[in-house]
Amino acid sequence: MAKNITTDPITLEVLRNALQSVAEEMGAILTRTALSPNIKDRRDCSTAIYTPRGSLVAQAEHIPLHLGLMPTVVKAVLKHFPAEKLAPGDAIIINDPYTSGSHLPDICIISPVFYGRRPIALVANLAHHVDVGGAAPGSMSTATTEIFQEGIRIPPVKISSKGHLNRDLLRVLAHNVRTSEEFYGDIQAQLSANQVGIQRLQELVRRTGMDTLAYYMDEIINYAERRIRAALEELPAGIYQFYDYLEGDGIDEELIKITTTVEIKDGTARVDFTGTGPQARGPVNATRGVTLACVYFAIKAVADPELPASEGIARAVEVITPPGTLVNPRFPAPVAHANINTAQRITDVVLGALAQAAPHRVTAAGTGSMSNFTIGGRDNRGRYYSYVETYGGGQGAKYNQDGLDGVHVNMTNTMNTPVEILELNYPLLVERYGLIPDSGGPGKFRGGTGLVREIKALEDATVSVSTERNIRRPWGLQGGAPGKSSRCYIKLPGGTRQEMPGKFTRSVPRDTAVILETAGGGGFGNPRDRSPEAVRQDVRSGLVSGEAARKQYGIELDEELN
């Protein structure tokens, strides 16, 4: 690297935005060329750029959970395939959670970027595939007790070598999944996204020069570190503790404690999960990579929400995850539903601790789960299908704003599958989809409402549902009331309706309907301090009933609103 380069703020910002744009374009290519609705419609994926050493430089604004996961997997892969030993046209595939930090449906593809013979960067993307084998369609069974039951594990291996696709490996992988056609299409989309990233970075280095680009990639990370440290300096120094519970592991219903101690001091944060319960028998264990992602998100959201994602955030945050616990399990513990539920609870406890330091920067608890809903089997032509979706719910309110209704919160940011797309691609019928009145926690500022979706299976199928806040409602802040709990029901063909636990996997006959109601968000402040006009508007919008307006808010409505 040239020794006479000095940091110019304008150049830094121009190149930071240029690299961010490359990551965003990679994401656009991935979602526009993918085959499965889970990626092309729901956008359950992320794209990013790294230094040749594996340090995150820029990440597209997709899914917060991947903020900590993707750097984990890239650095792990570099231990097996150092950048200097790779060649142009190479691409590495991996999904093993005990290397990548995620769960098996999240398949990551990493490609080196060369200019001449010199590696100048790495590009990577991570996408949730609708099936990777295992005990149940969608590879999201709630009843697994070891990772071997959750699907095929892919160690770091080359899917492409010097531009030549490893078709034998692809055949082996596709042979072990139910939806092989979608698998092939989505893998090709991932490879295409990386190829676009490679081309754009090569174009950029032709304009800047290799030394300049390498220098500013490091400076972007240094800039993020300076900003997060400055933001942490603004928070009151101190030690803050909080705990909450996960509602069972899918096998046992016993509550599992997650506790954290957050110490803010001298522009740093130390987050310690000592005291958290031991790793679970069921598939809710969160690898350290998942836990890191949750911590980085919560710190960033409270200290500096506008800070671009990069390695710099991690430099100011120490995270302690005792081995053998729910937040850092030992192999071969199952992990499929940690992303869905445990990640959200880890985030809740970190935010709960930070609320003591900065109450006006933290929302009340949200819906508390990504609420996974999976139905799979064979359609009337005998072809395997797998519908996978995570559902939104109520966002927690904050000191000056109501929570949003029926949205994804905290660690997830996917879109919904439109009803027309769902019914076109799968033997399913959507019978109901909407917001749930009175599910948002009352407060001076109301928590967001949960949503309900009722789906009928038109053929025999296997259903897996995994949600939280079925027992312990999303907490409010500063006198705000908790949001309404989640609920799940199965309506059998004869009309019998059964209430189900928050986590289950079971076979159902054709014409069975599954109804999932997600939790609302907690309220902020005393409900009696809410503006009467805001309550009336809630009633007009169907978000609050007239009875709740009287009982919770003490508002007598005009006759035309009753």
Side-chain angles (χ1 to χ4, degrees), residues 109-174:
I109 295 183
I110 303 162
S111 303
V113 184
F114 282 82
Y115 193 75
R117 296 184 178 181
R118 176 175 166 182
I120 58 172
L122 300 166
V123 292
N125 65 73
L126 185 151
H128 184 119
H129 286 242
V130 293
D131 193 273
V132 290
S139 310
M140 296 291 290
S141 170
T142 63
T144 55
T145 57
E146 58 181 6
I147 196 168
F148 303 108
Q149 301 164 346
E150 295 184 329
I152 189 167
R153 292 169 57 225
I154 310 170
V157 291
K158 287 187 180 181
I159 192 71
S160 177
S161 182
K162 296 182 179 180
H164 298 286
L165 188 63
N166 189 339
R167 299 187 185 278
D168 289 337
L169 174 60
L170 267 182
R171 280 196 295 270
V172 170
L173 298 178

Side-chain angles (χ1 to χ4, degrees), residues 6 81 140 160 181 195 247 291 333 337 343 350 389 448 497:
T6 57
F81 295 99
M140 296 291 290
S160 177
E181 183 178 345
Q195 188 58 39
E247 298 172 348
T291 304
H337 288 273
V350 178
E389 185 160 4
R497 180 175 163 126

Side-chain angles (χ1 to χ4, degrees), residues 176-193:
N176 283 275
V177 305
R178 295 173 178 85
T179 53
S180 57
E181 183 178 345
E182 290 179 319
F183 174 82
Y184 276 119
D186 290 344
I187 289 292
Q188 189 59 58
Q190 290 185 262
L191 290 167
S192 298

Side-chain angles (χ1 to χ4, degrees), residues 22 307 362 386 444 512:
V22 173
L307 176 65
V362 178
S386 180
K444 180 179 180 180
T512 297

Side-chain angles (χ1 to χ4, degrees), residues 239-483:
I239 298 175
Y240 310 97
Q241 296 179 319
F242 197 82
Y243 66 89
D244 206 336
Y245 293 90
L246 199 67
E247 298 172 348
D249 62 3
I251 297 174
D252 301 314
E253 296 183 1
E254 184 177 351
L255 297 177
I256 307 171
K257 186 176 184 179
I258 302 177
T259 185
T260 191
T261 300
V262 178
E263 181 178 8
I264 305 295
K265 180 182 178 182
D266 298 331
T268 64
R270 185 175 186 268
V271 183
D272 186 353
F273 289 93
T274 299
T276 294
Q279 66 187 60
R281 193 159 67 102
V284 295
N285 299 288
T287 64
R288 178 170 164 83
V290 169
T291 304
L292 290 175
C294 300
V295 172
Y296 297 155
F297 165 81
I299 295 291
K300 178 179 180 294
V302 173
D304 189 351
E306 301 301 320
L307 176 65
S310 82
E311 181 86 6
I313 299 171
R315 293 179 180 176
V317 182
E318 178 187 5
V319 183
I320 299 172
T321 55
T325 63
L326 188 71
V327 295
N328 187 10
R330 291 188 173 95
F331 180 83
V335 299
H337 288 273
N339 292 23
I340 305 302
N341 294 317
T342 315
Q344 297 286 56
R345 193 62 65 256
I346 293 169
T347 306
D348 279 348
V349 299
V350 178
L351 289 174
L354 291 173
Q356 301 165 40
H360 284 185
R361 298 191 184 191
V362 178
T363 65
T367 189
S369 172
M370 298 182 195
S371 295
N372 181 262
F373 192 132
T374 299
I375 303 179
R378 295 195 188 196
D379 62 20
N380 58 9
R381 289 172 290 182
R383 297 189 309 177
Y384 280 103
Y385 74 93
S386 180
Y387 159 69
V388 178
E389 185 160 4
T390 54
Y391 289 179
Q395 182 189 49
K398 62 179 184 179
Y399 81 100
N400 63 349
Q401 183 177 315
D402 291 346
L404 297 178
D405 304 308
V407 297
H408 284 291
V409 302
N410 293 338
M411 301 309 296
T412 181
N413 190 34
T414 55
M415 301 178 71
N416 71 343
T417 304
V419 172
E420 298 82 0
I421 296 295
L422 192 158
E423 295 181 344
L424 180 65
N425 283 272
Y426 310 111
L428 303 172
L429 180 67
V430 179
E431 305 222 289
R432 186 164 41 127
Y433 189 29
L435 300 175
I436 304 172
D438 296 333
S439 57
K444 180 179 180 180
F445 296 97
R446 175 183 53 78
T449 61
L451 60 79
V452 58
R453 204 169 201 179
E454 180 175 348
I455 297 180
K456 178 184 286 188
L458 302 181
E459 302 290 342
D460 294 350
T462 299
V463 177
S464 294
V465 172
S466 181
T467 190
E468 278 282 319
R469 298 302 189 190
N470 189 257
I471 300 169
R472 298 178 64 85
R473 299 164 65 186
W475 36 266
L477 286 175
Q478 304 293 315

Side-chain angles (χ1 to χ4, degrees), residues 224-244:
E225 180 185 2
R226 292 192 297 271
R227 263 186 63 169
I228 193 67
R229 290 185 184 276
L232 288 169
E233 286 276 10
E234 295 179 3
L235 297 180
I239 298 175
Y240 310 97
Q241 296 179 319
F242 197 82
Y243 66 89
D244 206 336

